[in-house]
Every structure is written in structure tokens, then in C-alpha cells.
Amino acid sequence: MSDKTRMNGGGESSDGIVPAKQPNEDQGGLQEAVEGRPSAKKNTEQTNSYRTQSWESESSGLERVREAAKEDKEKRFTALLHHVTIPLLASSYNSLKRQAAAGVDGVTWEEYGEDLAERLAELHGRIHRGAYRAQPSRRVWIPKPDGKQRPLGIAALEDKIVQHAVGRVLNQIWEEDFLGFSYGFRPERSQHDALDALYVGITRKKVDWIIDLDIRSFFDKIGHEWMVKFVEHRIGDQRIVRLIQKWLKAGVMEDGKWFGTEEGTPQGSVISPILANLYLHYVLDVWAQAWRKKVAGGEMILVRYADDGAPRAQRAEEGPMCVTA
């Protein structure tokens, strides 16, 4: 979720596991690459002015947020919404998939771009005066390899734009906090990097036990109350917190019926990946890091990709303790 990738050499993953792509210094934070596609020709001229208008100052503003997060790990940011500007919204619009299915609003990427300037200005105004309302996700079901089905939430186009923009702001903060063994939904990181780290851990460390960990129904069961508490560790701007709460509580539409959401965050939502990583950072990663340093009697390594993990331990009795996390 950034137009430029900030690379600082010399960092390592947790416990000396070095993937093929080097993470940043400290916690291994890298900016997330946008899911960009070539711009549609008819929208190019209209959006170019937004992509370039004041973008240098916008990027420097986000960079200052990141520097502040890096310098003070306890800092709570009380003024963030002003970073959600029209140029940032335009950049987020252009980062969305062009051919993605429409949400409950029925609006496609192409249709929204026909009056982009007016639409973004009006959307920006609603966000900053508190009039923006999140729409429910359209639920569809996709088959899983085991024959079961996985629910997928398709957000309305404006919700995707705002979520993407807010996610870019949040990434500036938490990419300085996330630990090196977290790979899923991270900027410039992929499943291949996680496999690299796993391979290096197995071949170069004293590992006798490998545990394959998958958190059951993780996205469906995320606790909203705890999610907000975790967000507020770093975010003191209640306008940003309220936006996240709106997305969590927006509900889903299926077969013309609305269903409330008391827990979970929709899979497929633009904001869900960073919220999922944020949640697991506090409930799993921080705990695992502390346990490895203070309790483990031998070497213990963790590679986590989203809600899937592979704890590896030197001693058999250390494995189950990882699983119960």
C-alpha cells in the first residue's frame, strides 16, 4: 500500500532466519506493493492530475508518520485522518483491480472513473465531516480444495477506496512494529519468502520438531472489541478508529438479506489483511517472541504467513506450547 518501497539493508528475520528478500532494519517492515494494473485509457487523463497533484508532499507526510513510529514505539498518533487526502484517494482508486466484481452498490471501477474528480471530492468531504457510511459486503461463496466453501466479502467500490487509503496510513505505523517472522499480507513479502525462511530454518538450525499451525475460522472469529483495543495501542485519532469500527459492523448482504457482524472481518475486504496482521501481532507474534527468549530451552523458530504458521522447536516438549498459542 505504497507508491514507493523503502528498503533498508542489513535486517534479519527473527532468530537469524534470512529470507531471499531482506526485510527492513529493526522489525523487518516493508511497504506493501499495490495491486496496480495498467490504467484504462479513457481514465488516464482524468486521473493523472490526481496522481501527481501534491503527491510529493503527500508521500513525505506519510514518511514522517513512519519515521515517528520508528523513533517512538510507544507513540499514539492522535492526528492521522488529514493524511487521507484527495490525491491519496485517487492513488488508492488507481491501485484497485479494474475487473473486480462489484459490491452491493453495483458500481464498477470503470463506472466510478467516469466522474472521478467530482466523486473523489465528494467522498473526501464525507469522510472528513463524519458523513461517510460503510456499506455491507456482498457475500459470495468460493469452493475450497477439501470440498467445503469459504465466504468471501466483496466491498462496495467507495469502501475499497477508503479502506485502501486508510490501510496505507496504518501501514506506515505497524510496518515498524511487525516482527520479522511475519510474512503474510506484508509489503514486498510473499509465500515464497516464507518458504525460504522455513527452508533455511530447517537446514541451518537445530530443529527436530516442525508443527504446522492453522488458526481455524480466523477471519470469521476475530473479536471486534479486542481488535479496537489493539488498534488503539497506536491510534489515538478516534476518527480513524470509528472508520474501522464502521467496516467491522457494516454486515453482509446475501440473497437480498442483511446479516449483522458481531465478530470477524470479511475475507476479501481491502482492510482485512492489515487488521488480521495487527491482531495476530499482539495475540501470537509478541507472545511467541517473548516465550522463545525467556522460556524455550532450545532453539525455537516461527514462520507465520497470515493465520498459518510453522513453529519449529529443538525439543519435543516445546512444540505443544507453540500450538496452544
Side-chain angles (χ1 to χ4, degrees):
M1 290 183 178
S2 174
D3 281 357
K4 67 176 182 178
T5 301
R6 180 169 168 269
M7 299 290 290
N8 292 323
E12 286 190 350
S13 292
S14 174
D15 202 26
I17 300 302
V18 184
K21 294 183 180 178
Q22 292 284 340
N24 267 11
E25 59 181 310
D26 295 335
Q27 301 299 349
L30 292 174
Q31 306 258 6
E32 185 170 352
V34 299
E35 49 174 342
R37 303 288 187 276
S39 298
K41 183 176 181 180
K42 71 176 183 177
N43 289 321
T44 300
E45 292 183 3
Q46 187 178 21
T47 59
N48 271 348
S49 61
Y50 282 101
R51 292 207 304 265
T52 58
Q53 175 192 2
S54 304
W55 188 246
E56 183 175 349
S57 62
E58 298 296 333
S59 298
S60 64
L62 293 178
E63 186 69 16
R64 287 194 296 272
V65 172
R66 181 159 192 154
E67 289 299 327
K70 179 180 179 180
E71 292 173 6
D72 186 355
K73 297 297 185 180
E74 303 298 323
K75 182 178 179 63
R76 294 182 73 239
F77 292 82
T78 58
L80 284 176
L81 190 64
H82 68 277
H83 290 290
V84 181
T85 62
I86 294 178
L88 181 59
L89 292 172
S91 179
S92 293
Y93 164 79
N94 281 285
S95 297
L96 299 177
K97 292 180 180 179
R98 277 49 170 163
Q99 304 302 322
V104 295
D105 58 347
V107 179
T108 65
W109 186 90
E110 291 279 355
E111 292 169 343
Y112 197 88
E114 292 174 0
D115 298 303
L116 187 62
E118 293 81 3
R119 287 177 183 268
L120 290 181
E122 197 271 337
L123 174 60
H124 178 264
R126 280 188 280 126
I127 293 170
H128 284 266
R129 67 175 182 267
Y132 164 80
R133 296 290 180 268
Q135 299 187 62
S137 297
R138 182 169 68 87
R139 177 183 285 169
V140 297
W141 295 87
I142 56 175
K144 296 171 63 176
D146 60 4
K148 298 180 180 179
Q149 290 186 314
R150 182 193 306 276
L152 184 68
I154 302 175
L157 190 72
E158 280 196 340
D159 290 332
K160 291 180 182 179
I161 295 172
V162 183
Q163 289 178 18
H164 193 283
V166 170
R168 288 168 75 164
V169 176
L170 297 181
N171 260 343
Q172 307 308 309
I173 300 169
W174 269 288
E175 277 301 312
E176 293 298 335
D177 292 353
F178 290 156
L179 301 181
F181 53 71
S182 167
Y183 291 90
F185 309 131
R186 296 283 303 281
E188 293 299 316
R189 289 180 167 218
S190 69
Q191 62 270 37
H192 302 294
D193 300 313
L195 290 172
D196 285 349
L198 186 64
Y199 173 81
V200 173
I202 293 172
T203 57
R204 298 185 186 177
K205 295 291 181 177
K206 297 178 180 179
V207 171
D208 297 319
W209 293 79
I210 301 175
I211 303 170
D212 185 16
L213 171 69
D214 184 4
I215 302 176
R216 182 169 54 190
S217 302
F218 170 67
F219 282 89
D220 299 331
K221 298 297 183 181
I222 286 178
H224 290 176
E225 183 178 353
W226 278 108
M227 175 64 78
V228 172
K229 288 181 179 180
F230 295 148
V231 169
E232 290 180 335
H233 279 324
R234 285 291 231 164
I235 307 300
D237 190 336
Q238 287 302 307
R239 298 169 299 175
I240 295 290
V241 176
R242 283 194 293 270
L243 284 174
I244 294 173
Q245 289 174 314
K246 287 178 181 181
W247 294 323
L248 292 175
K249 297 295 186 182
V252 297
M253 291 288 294
E254 184 177 3
D255 297 329
K257 296 180 180 180
W258 179 83
F259 299 91
T261 46
E262 298 301 322
E263 59 182 2
T265 180
Q267 294 189 58
S269 168
V270 175
I271 199 66
S272 288
I274 188 172
L275 293 183
N277 265 340
L278 192 158
Y279 197 94
L280 286 172
H281 170 73
Y282 289 111
V283 302
L284 177 60
D285 296 356
V286 173
W287 173 85
Q289 182 87 322
W291 188 90
R292 180 176 63 83
K293 292 179 177 180
K294 298 178 181 180
V295 180
E299 292 189 357
M300 194 279 277
I301 307 159
L302 175 66
V303 175
R304 180 174 69 78
Y305 189 87
D307 59 330
D308 295 290
R312 306 186 297 281
Q314 182 178 358
R315 299 181 181 180
E317 63 268 20
E318 293 173 359
M321 295 191 71
C322 295
V323 173
T324 57

